[in-house]
């Protein structure tokens, strides 16, 4: 994630899991030639992981200039470590911190976080992969367990949110009772008859396909469909137009708002209008 003032300060941020199964969020800088300098690493945040799955991993800067970090629930199954509904844990949460020039070291706590763990902006996430901002709107693709994948949409200016895991998986009760009071319901969900692991994308704001302006893109690791949630709220399937996608691990956007699709098979594709 490039700092909003990257052109001036050369800073960017990386989330990775080290060999001790600890999530590291680190700050790096570039050399005078604009090349990333591995020797410049400054560790910002360390979060021990009790298992090797559900480690989240995305970082991104929000419209508030803060660094947002998606954290899974710690892994295993059934939220076995009990982090999903804990406001004092950094796991199963969306974190929001202040970094960069002028921020406290190793990081600052911005106003608006509302849980016992100061870094936590929202709880109740199983494995957010991925999240994206469209103006002040935050979209999250949250990977389900054995039945349901979900898409969440909220305003980034909100605070104290609870997305429901592990009380709920999507809109279905999972554990700890079935009272949805105080929970954020997904704007879309689909069952495992259609896929197994959501990969969330971005809202399209490019110019190559203007009729898709405002559509939120997402796919599934297992089945490779390509779908959007239109501004109307309708879900549109584009798989027949582009073909099934292979193991999409991420999406990207460029400076013109055009959309890129990243596959674990080693390819990066750009979405464009068909030429024939």
């Amino acid at each position: 994630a490039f700092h909003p003032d990257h052109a001036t300060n050369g800073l960017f941020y990386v989330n990775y899991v080290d060999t001790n199964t600890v999530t590291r969020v680190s700050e790096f800088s570039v050399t005078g030639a604009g090349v990333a300098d591995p020797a410049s690493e400054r560790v910002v945040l360390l979060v021990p992981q009790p298992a090797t799955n559900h480690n989240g991993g995305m970082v991104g800067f929000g419209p508030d200039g803060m660094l947002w970090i998606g954290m899974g629930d710690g892994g295993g199954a059934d939220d076995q470590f009990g982090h999903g509904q804990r406001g004092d844990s950094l796991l199963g949460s969306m974190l929001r911190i202040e970094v960069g020039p002028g921020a406290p070291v190793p990081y600052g706590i911005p106003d608006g976080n509302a849980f016992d763990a100061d870094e936590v902006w929202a709880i109740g996430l199983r494995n957010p992969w991925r999240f994206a901002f469209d103006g002040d709107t935050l979209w999250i693709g949250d990977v389900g367990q054995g039945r349901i994948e979900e898409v969440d949409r909220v305003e980034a200016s909100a605070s104290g949110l609870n997305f429901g895991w592990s009380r709920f998986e999507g809109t279905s009760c999972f554990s700890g009772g079935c009272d949805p009071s105080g929970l954020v319901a997904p704007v879309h969900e689909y069952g495992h008859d259609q896929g197994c692991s959501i990969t969330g994308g971005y809202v399209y704001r490019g110019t190559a396909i203007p009729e898709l302006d405002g559509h939120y893109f997402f796919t599934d690791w297992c089945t490779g469909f390509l779908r959007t949630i239109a501004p109307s709220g309708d879900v549109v399937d584009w798989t027949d137009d582009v073909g099934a996608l292979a193991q999409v691990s991420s999406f990207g956007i460029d400076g013109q708002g055009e959309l890129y699709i990243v596959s674990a098979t080693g390819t990066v594709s750009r979405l464009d209008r068909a030429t024939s």
Side-chain angles (χ1 to χ4, degrees), residues 138-266:
L138 171 64
W139 294 79
I140 304 172
D142 195 22
V143 178
Q145 172 129 331
R147 297 176 54 212
I148 298 172
E149 306 296 307
E150 71 177 74
V151 176
D152 300 300
R153 182 184 64 204
V154 295
E155 293 306 298
S157 56
S159 64
L161 302 182
N162 184 342
F163 291 100
W165 175 257
S166 57
R167 287 166 54 188
F168 280 75
E169 181 184 12
T171 56
S172 296
C173 55
F174 187 86
S175 65
C178 295
D179 181 5
S181 300
L183 304 181
V184 176
V187 296
H188 175 65
E189 63 182 21
Y190 63 91
H192 279 197
D193 57 331
Q194 302 175 54
C196 78
S197 181
I198 191 170
T199 300
Y202 290 93
V203 174
Y204 182 76
R205 297 297 182 187
T207 59
I209 315 175
E211 61 267 34
L212 293 183
D213 183 67
H215 281 243
Y216 170 76
F217 278 81
F218 65 101
T219 184
D220 188 274
W221 171 269
C222 295
T223 52
F225 61 67
L226 183 65
R227 295 176 181 171
T228 62
I229 300 175
S232 65
D234 294 334
V235 176
V236 185
D237 195 304
W238 303 97
T239 311
D240 289 344
D241 297 270
V242 301
L245 306 173
Q247 297 181 335
V248 175
S249 58
S250 190
F251 286 84
I253 52 173
D254 63 20
Q256 289 71 49
E258 302 303 335
L259 188 74
Y260 294 76
I261 299 169
V262 182
S263 170
T265 63

